[in-house]
Amino acid sequence: MTDTLRTPQVPDEHGLDGPALLDAYRTMRTIRDFEERLHAEFATGDIPGFVHLYAGEEASATGVCAHLDDDRDVIASTHRGHGHCIAKHVDVKSMMAEIYGRTTGACRGKGGSMHIADLSKGMLGANGIVGGGPPLICGAALAAKVRGDGGVGGSNQGTTLESLNLASVWQLPAVFVAENNGYAEATSAEWSVGGGSIAARAAAFGMPGVTVDGFDFFAVHRAAGEAVERARTGGGPTLIEVQLTRYYGHFEGDQQTYRADEVRHARAELDCIERFREQVAGHLTAAQLDAVDAEVARLIDEAVSQARAAPPPTAADLETDVYISYL
C-alpha cells in the first residue's frame, strides 16, 4: 500500500501536492507497464489484430489529462491510444480484455486495440483513421460551448487544418495536442513537415501554438493547464506540439530499419518516468514510488490473467451493439 500519510500535502513549485504527484506517477507507470506487457503478450500470438504501443510517450497523455474531468471533458484519440485511455481513467482490466477480444472488454471484444472507447470517462475512442480525431473534438467542443458547462475537448491527435480552422472560427473550447514522435509511420518528420514546426501552424488560424518537451511531465502539464484554462474561460482553442519518442515500432512487427540508436538514447537519457522520479525527489520518497510500481505490476498481472480467462464474443453477439437508440 502506498504511504500517503507521509506524502507532503502542500503544493510544490509546479502547483501539485503529494497526492497529485503520486497520481501522475501512477498513471505514467500504468501506461508503461501496460504497454511493455502487451509487447510481450502480442509476441505469443494470442492477441488478434494490430497493436500500436505508446511506451515512451507517457508524460504527454498524463500531463494533458491531469487537467480534465471525467464527467464533462472529452478526448478523441489515435491508433496509438492505450496511453490516452489510461490517462482518462478507462478501466485497465476492461482495456486488456478488449485488446484480447473478450466479451468483458470495454467494447465487448468487438473493437480491439484501435477502437477502445468509454463514454462514461469522456473517452470518445481510439481511432484507426489517421486525422479522424480532430473533427470529433470540434463537435464535442461545440456541444460544450452550447451547454455552457465549462467542458473542454482535448484531442491527442495529429491535427488537420480543417479542424483547426473550424475551432478558431467558432472559438471552440478545444485543445489540440499533436504528439510528434518524429515519424509518420516510417517517414521522418524532417522530410514531411513543412516549415519544421507543427505548433507554428497555429498562427495561421489565430490561435496560440506552443512546443513542449514530451519527456518532461511538468512541461506538458504546465502548457496543457494554460490551454485548458484558456478554453474554459472563452479564450478559444490552442495547439500544443509535444515532442517525444516512441520506444517501439509504429506497430508490433515493425522492423524499424529507419531508426538507429535513438531509442536506446531516449531510454537511457530522456525517459519521462525516470526524470519524474528525479524531479520529485524532494516531495516523494523512493519507497512511495516503488510501492506504486508494485501496485501497478499486480494490476497488470491481474488484467492479463482475467483477459485470458474471459470468453470471446459468439455468433449470437454479432448484431448487438451495432446501433444505439436515444429514445
Side-chain angles (χ1 to χ4, degrees):
M1 174 175 284
T2 303
D3 182 7
T4 57
L5 296 178
R6 295 179 55 196
T7 302
Q9 300 299 311
V10 294
D12 73 351
E13 62 269 27
H14 304 288
L16 295 170
D17 61 12
L21 291 172
L22 271 179
D23 283 344
Y25 182 75
R26 180 177 290 104
T27 299
M28 288 195 291
R29 176 56 70 188
T30 302
I31 296 171
R32 175 67 58 82
D33 285 11
F34 188 94
E35 300 293 67
E36 297 278 16
R37 184 61 176 272
L38 268 185
H39 177 67
E41 294 296 323
F42 191 82
T44 67
D46 293 334
I47 294 176
F50 283 101
V51 172
H52 303 75
L53 299 180
Y54 195 76
E57 305 184 9
E58 294 84 359
S60 178
T62 305
V64 172
C65 291
H67 297 282
L68 305 181
D69 300 326
D70 289 345
D71 57 348
R72 63 174 177 168
D73 299 325
V74 302
I75 68 170
S77 184
T78 69
H79 52 277
R80 199 176 311 283
H82 305 158
H84 307 153
C85 291
I86 292 172
K88 202 60 171 66
H89 303 140
V90 178
D91 182 73
V92 168
K93 292 181 179 180
S94 72
M95 286 178 58
M96 189 68 77
E98 184 62 33
I99 293 170
Y100 264 86
R102 310 300 188 182
T103 56
T104 53
C107 299
R108 306 188 189 187
K110 298 180 179 181
S113 169
M114 286 191 286
H115 300 94
I116 296 174
D118 187 344
L119 299 186
S120 71
K121 300 297 185 181
M123 177 57 180
L124 294 182
N127 204 314
I129 300 174
V130 176
L136 296 177
I137 283 308
C138 284
L142 178 60
K145 183 175 183 179
V146 170
R147 290 195 304 265
D149 59 7
V152 176
S155 178
N156 292 300
Q157 166 66 292
T159 60
T160 63
L161 300 182
E162 293 90 343
S163 296
L164 289 173
N165 184 65
L166 191 64
S168 182
V169 169
W170 287 350
Q171 283 294 283
L172 298 178
V175 179
F176 296 94
V177 182
E179 292 180 327
N180 183 0
N181 61 30
Y183 297 93
E185 265 190 70
T187 303
S188 171
E190 295 179 0
W191 302 345
S192 59
V193 177
S197 171
I198 294 174
R201 297 177 179 180
F205 304 101
M207 69 174 69
V210 59
T211 299
V212 297
D213 179 0
F215 297 104
D216 186 343
F217 164 82
F218 293 105
V220 177
H221 184 269
R222 182 167 52 253
E226 294 172 358
V228 169
E229 178 63 21
R230 182 180 300 114
R232 292 202 199 284
T233 56
T238 301
L239 171 61
I240 302 174
E241 177 185 3
V242 185
Q243 295 184 338
L244 32 68
T245 296
R246 52 174 163 80
Y247 285 174
Y248 292 104
H250 171 67
F251 57 90
E252 285 297 271
D254 180 2
Q255 297 301 303
Q256 302 187 76
T257 55
Y258 50 89
R259 301 212 280 185
D261 65 345
E262 62 190 65
V263 174
R264 179 200 59 76
H265 171 69
R267 283 187 179 268
E269 306 294 337
L270 304 174
D271 187 77
C272 61
I273 294 179
E274 292 305 315
R275 182 181 294 189
F276 185 92
R277 289 181 68 110
E278 295 172 0
Q279 290 170 316
V280 301
H283 304 280
L284 300 174
T285 67
Q288 288 174 300
L289 298 173
D290 292 344
V292 171
D293 291 348
E295 292 173 5
V296 171
R298 288 192 294 271
L299 172 64
I300 301 303
D301 281 344
E302 292 172 1
V304 171
S305 295
Q306 292 178 19
R308 287 173 174 168
T314 66
D317 301 313
L318 184 62
E319 295 183 359
T320 61
D321 308 308
V322 178
Y323 298 104
I324 185 170
S325 173
Y326 295 95
L327 300 180

